[in-house]
Amino acid sequence: MPGSFNARCGISDCLTIRSPSKINVFLEVLGKRSDGFHDLETVMLRTQPADVLQFRAVESDQLSLTLAAGTSPAIATGFPLDGSNLILRAANALRDACGVRFGAHITAAKKVPPESGLAGGSGNAAATLLALNRLWRLNLTQVELHRLAETLGSDINFLLSGCRAAICRGRGESVEQIPLRGRFYFVSVRPRTGNSTAAVFRRLPPPTDRRCPEKIVQNLCGGFSSAFAMSLFNRLTEPAMSVNSELAGLVQRVRKTLGLELHVSGSGSTCVAAAANYRQAVVFASRLWAVTGLTPNILWS
Ligand code: C5P
């Protein structure tokens, strides 16, 4: 979990931190704001598997990023090592905020596929803020780290909070922890075509009855049940399907042939469904693979 440093290198200038992913099990759009963004009410779950990031302080002011040996080529292709990577953007934001030019070498052992809609990049940014704040002995408070996180992306605050589950509001940056009982399993599958978040929001239908997260929160507090699996909801699923015909075909095919309801996570195009346990997640994954030809992931919280 972010915030707990699971392993130390044994010397004071090096530390290792886990960087989890997230999914949205509920997302309602509350309305459009004057800055062009939409206010959301969303329930997020921190999920495994996680990436593992290692940070080593260096003498110079250089920031460098490499992938751990043995990273699969599929993951390496979608993971930029230049300044556009959220790890380096978070490190630079931290240096600018504190007026320092400390350096670090960062090694990423990636398990969360990039651009998979599971916020692997946001998790990396959250882990970077926590790790470098400690490694460089900057002593920023949690509140100050959260302010920086807000400037980098909407999901980072949740992953920085260390909560396993939370209702997030605003653009996602306001985080209210909710209790979670037991383990929750999911399968996720991502069409080859991604979604433009802006395009998905542009296709939002006119507001109708507003869904509230109470039911799903209750179901999360009570442990897994079929009621939980059926209460997954994302207002962006329909607009995401209308901008991405591959996604629409996939959701409809899976609904028809497997009777399984998929919901996008965030604005897609990754879709998720809940499973009762690991065994059922494996069964769903193999059926999804048979029906779609795509490789699903199994996630748990
Ligand atoms: O968060 P991100 O920069 O990916 O958002 C891309 C676009 O999606 C925004 O410029 C905005 O048009 C739309 N968006 C929105 N409301 C949100 C998040 C994104 O309208 N909460």
Side-chain angles (χ1 to χ4, degrees), residues 7-256:
R8 305 275 281 174
C9 299
I11 50 172
S12 62
D13 62 356
C14 181
L15 56 85
T16 302
I17 185 170
R18 285 162 67 81
S19 165
S21 48
K22 68 91 196 167
I23 58 169
N24 303 74
V25 289
F26 173 91
L27 189 152
E28 178 60 291
V29 179
L30 303 186
K32 194 162 182 181
R33 316 187 322 188
S34 53
D35 63 3
F37 282 85
H38 289 79
D39 272 324
L40 309 177
E41 188 161 50
T42 178
V43 177
M44 297 204 229
L45 256 54
R46 189 183 71 216
T47 47
Q48 305 291 338
D51 297 335
V52 177
L53 304 184
Q54 189 189 77
F55 296 82
R56 188 164 46 78
V58 295
E59 293 282 324
S60 72
D61 64 357
Q62 259 206 334
L63 285 174
S64 56
L65 174 63
T66 53
L67 274 167
T71 304
S72 86
I75 286 190
T77 318
F79 190 74
L81 296 173
D82 62 14
S84 67
N85 191 300
L86 265 172
I87 293 175
L88 296 178
R89 286 177 52 205
N92 274 315
L94 203 53
R95 294 205 302 190
D96 291 347
C98 298
V100 296
R101 301 299 301 163
F102 298 140
H105 179 68
I106 304 149
T107 307
K110 294 287 295 175
K111 289 262 178 60
V112 183
E115 294 170 6
S116 61
L118 302 173
S122 295
N124 289 177
T128 301
L129 292 176
L130 286 166
L132 291 180
N133 186 42
R134 183 181 278 207
L135 188 73
W136 289 338
R137 297 180 176 84
L138 299 172
N139 296 323
L140 289 192
T141 62
Q142 276 292 314
V143 172
E144 289 166 324
L145 290 177
H146 272 278
R147 261 191 231 125
L148 269 183
E150 254 181 80
T151 65
L152 292 163
S154 309
D155 297 330
I156 301 175
N157 294 82
F158 168 64
L159 291 159
L160 184 65
S161 71
C163 299
R164 217 175 123 208
I167 302 189
C168 301
R169 299 189 177 87
R171 280 168 61 185
E173 73 283 356
S174 150
V175 180
E176 182 191 332
Q177 179 167 12
I178 54 178
L180 203 60
R181 211 180 96 210
R183 196 162 262 199
F184 289 80
Y185 290 91
F186 302 88
V187 276
S188 77
V189 65
R190 181 180 184 270
R192 289 178 193 87
T193 342
N195 285 353
S196 146
T197 304
V200 172
F201 276 96
R202 275 198 300 273
R203 291 286 181 97
L204 265 174
T208 47
D209 287 349
R210 177 176 154 189
R211 293 268 200 126
C212 293
E214 275 71 31
K215 205 162 132 197
I216 196 136
V217 170
Q218 259 174 23
N219 286 328
L220 285 169
C221 299
F224 179 85
S225 62
S226 50
F228 166 74
M230 276 154 42
S231 60
L232 263 56
F233 172 76
N234 189 330
R235 180 67 68 194
L236 299 177
T237 298
E238 292 298 326
M241 286 166 69
S242 82
V243 298
N244 184 335
S245 56
E246 188 194 355
L247 170 69
L250 185 149
V251 170
Q252 281 152 4
R253 207 159 56 247
V254 168
R255 190 183 287 155
K256 198 167 154 202

